[in-house]
């Protein structure tokens, strides 16, 4: 075994399970830690028989003692429904989770990557968003537990780096989709696909002219691993996302067409603080990581629809 010992927090979630799978394929020894709040054992069932894979049920807001070379810190509910379910807990997960994993990295001299988010830009006034844009975040709204939690986690990462020389990497992930997204976490791609496959109404919040940029999961995981293994001294933050920008109306129409669905579009109230536009500038990832998304939206949607057809 020549690989590294790698801890993935949130490893039973959507992104975490794809990451664990890829790291095992690359010959590493993977410890997957998760409290199964939004993650599922089904996401990692196919990895359980691998002798280089271990699952630990644990809350990232509590300290964990393991010996590892690298840490990917993904533990945090990511969909608005889930992170707003218990917002105080979401804050603890982000902030205490960052503190404990950074403490672990310091003790083990491990390299640590934080899965931050485009939500640190809030409802952006600068479009598209480069990494040096500081964001427009409401500190007291219903999305704040997540947005501000992730911002504080970034602060802790950079303070541990400056104060204790911890080897950090920070990525800001833009909306990512693909197989193993949870069917009921309210995110737009899974909602629309499930509604379309059931020929139910497609629920567009607001007028549907708000935009998002959607990255297919394989591209994102490739970028994440490239960032972890990037040159010494390159900390980020670096945006990872697909710059293709679509309105929610365009997304709904595409999914209806690809599923040959009889669904009709209906409009529902727009949630508070819903960002009106979002699109990453990815020049830094291209330069430092030689990374660019390869999967076009339709291609990724077809793969995702095929997955949902097996469970809907
Ligand atoms: P997810 O909800 O599927 O995965 C999160 C995982 O973390 C789940 O398995 C959950 O059980 C686990 N978890 C939550 N709280 C925990 C705690 N206190 N202790 C231990 N485990 C805990 O979401 P995802 O889409 O896979 O997101 C993974 C990470 O990527 C998150 O940190 C999220 O903020 C970030 N991210 C995701 C996206 C996206 O579009 N998917 C975008 C930006 C950032
Ligand atoms: N959205 C929608 N209908 C849905 C779910 C979401 O119109 O059934 C919209 C939502 O208001 C937002 C966009 O889709 O403008 C993306 O929502 P998601 O929760 O997937 O991600 P985020 O808002 O965190 O980017």
């Amino acid at each position: 075994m020549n690989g590294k010992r790698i801890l993935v927090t949130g490893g039973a979630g959507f992104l975490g399970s794809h990451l664990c799978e890829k790291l095992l394929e690359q010959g590493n020894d993977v410890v997957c830690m998760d409290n199964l709040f939004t993650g599922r054992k089904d996401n990692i069932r196919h990895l359980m028989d691998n002798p280089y894979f271990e699952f630990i049920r644990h809350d990232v807001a509590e300290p964990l003692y393991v010996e590892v070379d690298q840490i990917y810190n993904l533990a945090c509910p990511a969909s608005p429904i889930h992170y707003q379910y218990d917002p105080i807990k979401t804050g603890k997960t982000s902030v205490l989770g960052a503190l404990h994993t950074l403490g672990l990295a310091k003790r083990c001299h491990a390299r640590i990557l934080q899965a931050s988010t485009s939500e640190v830009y809030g409802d952006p006034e600068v479009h598209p968003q480069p990494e040096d844009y500081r964001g427009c975040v409401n500190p007291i709204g219903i999305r704040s537990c997540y947005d501000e939690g992730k911002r504080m986690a970034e602060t802790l990462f950079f303070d541990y780096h400056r104060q204790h020389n911890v080897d950090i990497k920070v990525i800001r992930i833009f909306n990512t989709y693909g197989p193993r997204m949870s069917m009921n976490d309210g995110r737009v791609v899974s909602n629309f696909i499930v509604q379309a496959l059931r020929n139910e109404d497609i629920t567009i919040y607001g007028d549907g002219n708000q935009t998002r940029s959607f990255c297919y999961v394989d591209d994102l995981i490739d970028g994440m691993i490239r960032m972890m293994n990037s040159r010494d001294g390159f900390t980020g933050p670096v945006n990872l996302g697909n710059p293709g920008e679509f309105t929610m109306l365009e997304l709904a129409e595409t999914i209806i067409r690809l599923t040959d669905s009889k669904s009709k579009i209906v409009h529902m109230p727009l949630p508070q603080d819903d960002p009106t536009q979002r699109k990453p500038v990815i020049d830094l990832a291209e330069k430092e990581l030689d990374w660019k998304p390869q999967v076009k939206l339709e291609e990724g949607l077809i793969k995702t629809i095929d997955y949902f057809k097996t469970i809907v």
Side-chain angles (χ1 to χ4, degrees), residues 54 80 94 138 166 191 210 231 233 264 269 272 287 296:
E54 243 173 289
S94 269
N138 176 359
V166 171
N191 263 15
Q210 70 270 40
R231 68 174 170 84
K264 300 269 169 298
Q272 188 196 328
K287 176 170 162 271
K296 296 211 164 54

Side-chain angles (χ1 to χ4, degrees), residues 143 175 187-188 191-192 203 205 210 212 248 274 278:
R143 293 176 86 101
N175 298 59
R187 282 191 263 193
V188 69
N191 263 15
F192 286 3
T203 54
Y205 302 157
Q210 70 270 40
R212 294 291 186 276
M248 295 312 103
D274 199 275
R278 200 184 277 152

Side-chain angles (χ1 to χ4, degrees), residues 35-243:
N35 71 350
L36 300 180
F37 173 47
T38 54
R40 287 169 297 155
K41 279 190 179 169
D42 278 345
N43 287 343
I44 50 168
R45 192 183 297 280
H46 61 298
L47 308 177
M48 292 289 197
D49 288 338
N50 187 323
Y52 294 107
F53 180 77
E54 243 173 289
F55 171 67
I56 302 176
R57 189 192 290 242
H58 181 84
D59 193 313
V60 77
E62 303 292 334
L64 176 74
Y65 289 86
V66 286
E67 305 303 318
V68 288
D69 306 306
Q70 292 185 342
I71 303 166
Y72 288 85
N73 186 34
L74 272 63
C76 187
S79 82
I81 289 182
H82 284 142
Y83 69 65
Q84 287 164 19
Y85 169 75
D86 184 348
I88 295 170
K89 174 66 188 171
T90 300
K92 286 184 184 169
T93 294
S94 269
V95 177
L96 298 178
L99 275 170
H100 294 314
T101 49
L102 284 161
L104 178 65
K106 181 176 165 230
R107 182 178 61 77
C108 296
H109 302 289
R111 180 172 274 197
I112 180 167
L113 178 143
Q114 168 68 359
S116 189
T117 166
S118 54
E119 289 283 323
V120 301
Y121 302 123
D123 190 3
E125 301 135 314
V126 169
H127 192 71
Q129 295 82 52
E131 288 86 353
D132 59 5
Y133 173 54
R134 294 185 185 176
C136 175
V137 176
N138 176 359
I140 56 168
I142 56 172
R143 293 176 86 101
S144 314
C145 58
Y146 183 72
D147 301 8
E148 297 288 18
K150 289 284 189 179
R151 287 169 68 98
M152 185 62 203
E154 285 199 14
T155 305
L156 286 166
F157 266 68
F158 279 85
D159 283 337
Y160 265 75
H161 177 62
R162 284 185 287 255
Q163 205 170 325
H164 295 303
N165 213 18
V166 171
D167 187 4
I168 63 158
K169 304 276 172 186
V170 176
I171 58 172
R172 291 182 179 153
I173 304 171
F174 284 65
N175 298 59
T176 301
Y177 69 100
R180 293 193 213 129
M181 286 185 92
S182 165
M183 198 155 88
N184 54 6
D185 73 5
R187 282 191 263 193
V188 69
V189 174
S190 44
N191 263 15
F192 286 3
I193 292 179
V194 171
Q195 290 163 345
L197 289 176
R198 290 180 174 156
N199 293 309
E200 293 171 359
D201 288 345
I202 304 259
T203 54
I204 289 195
Y205 302 157
D207 62 12
N209 289 317
Q210 70 270 40
T211 66
R212 294 291 186 276
S213 299
F214 297 103
C215 186
Y216 188 64
V217 61
D218 290 356
D219 280 334
L220 195 279
I221 298 300
D222 176 43
M224 196 185 288
I225 294 175
R226 281 173 191 249
M227 180 56 175
M228 176 60 101
N229 298 301
S230 61
R231 68 174 170 84
D232 286 347
F234 177 60
T235 57
V238 62
N239 288 339
L240 292 182
N242 190 322

